[in-house]
Amino acid sequence: MGRIRKRPWLLVLLALAAAAMLAVSCKTAPEPVEEPVEEPVTAAVPKPEAEYQTAKELRATVTQFGLDRYEADAFQKAEASFKDGEAAYGKDNAKSRTAFQQAISGYQQVLDGGFPALTAERKKDADDAKAEADAVKAAVAVKADYNAAQGLYKQAADAEKAKDYPKSLDLYEQSRAKFAAAAQTARQLKARAESSIEEVKDELATAEQQAEEAEKIREEGGL
């Protein structure tokens, strides 16, 4: 204690140091610096190229086979969606994609309803042609042609069962044409045969008449 009293300046220094430390500890901490928040970048929606191509292909198939007449309402709605898709293409690709998807659904509905109906019509045409061929005995008169038509008809039925409608339609048409040709050929052969029979009858009648005249002349000469 005696030493501290002899050095009052040391007490002053200690007091100043303590005050400085207290000031540092009580000093307000600096406010944190807020970093700028970056806005999320929205990726651009790509063009719906796949949907556009699919819609065009289905639309072309519907038009090729004239299937719109079987599902007129569905086709008109699909056409409206297709036009909306084209109008928004490259401008509002999200809207364009949705429109093309709706068009695809509509065209598919037309195909699902139209193909079976059209195939049924082609099958009936082939059945009618077969009935005509049967009526003139084409299976006997032109057996090879008739069997060929039968083979095509069976292939058409198999394709229809497999729902390969384009193939079925083509085969039913080929079958119809073959049956019709076989019926025509059978009719022609029948006509020729009947004509030949008539010619033979005429020849026999002529020969009989000539024989009667010859006999009459012989009898008259004998008198």
Side-chain angles (χ1 to χ4, degrees), residues 155-165 167-168:
Q155 292 177 44
D158 291 341
E160 181 183 6
K161 186 177 180 180
K163 294 186 178 181
D164 187 349
Y165 293 111
K167 181 179 180 180
S168 179

Side-chain angles (χ1 to χ4, degrees), residues 20-133:
M21 292 178 64
L22 181 62
V24 170
S25 63
C26 295
K27 188 178 180 180
T28 304
E31 296 182 359
V33 179
E34 294 184 1
E35 296 182 0
V37 178
E38 295 183 1
E39 294 293 333
V41 179
T42 303
V45 178
K47 293 180 180 180
E49 296 179 0
E51 290 84 354
Y52 190 16
Q53 183 62 30
T54 300
K56 285 194 291 186
E57 290 174 356
L58 294 179
R59 185 172 186 256
T61 302
V62 169
T63 303
Q64 177 185 355
F65 291 94
L67 302 179
D68 54 297
R69 61 192 175 100
Y70 300 100
E71 298 285 343
D73 291 341
F75 179 73
Q76 290 176 1
K77 290 178 181 178
E79 284 285 271
S81 295
F82 183 82
K83 292 177 181 177
D84 289 344
E86 284 191 321
Y89 188 76
K91 301 173 184 176
D92 186 342
N93 289 327
K95 179 180 179 181
S96 180
R97 175 178 286 106
T98 299
F100 282 135
Q101 288 173 342
Q102 292 173 345
I104 290 170
S105 178
Y107 289 135
Q108 190 61 57
Q109 182 180 344
V110 176
L111 294 172
D112 291 342
F115 263 137
L118 178 58
T119 303
E121 291 180 1
R122 292 283 179 87
K123 180 178 182 297
K124 184 179 183 305
D125 291 341
D127 288 337
D128 291 343
K130 180 179 181 300
E132 291 183 10

Side-chain angles (χ1 to χ4, degrees), residues 9 13 74 104 122 137 148 180 210 222:
W9 54 270
L13 288 177
I104 290 170
R122 292 283 179 87
K137 305 290 192 298
Q210 291 174 347

Side-chain angles (χ1 to χ4, degrees), residues 174-194:
Q174 291 186 46
S175 175
R176 182 206 64 77
K178 277 283 187 181
F179 277 128
Q184 179 64 19
T185 301
R187 281 192 290 267
Q188 292 174 347
L189 291 175
K190 182 180 179 181
R192 291 174 186 172
E194 291 176 349

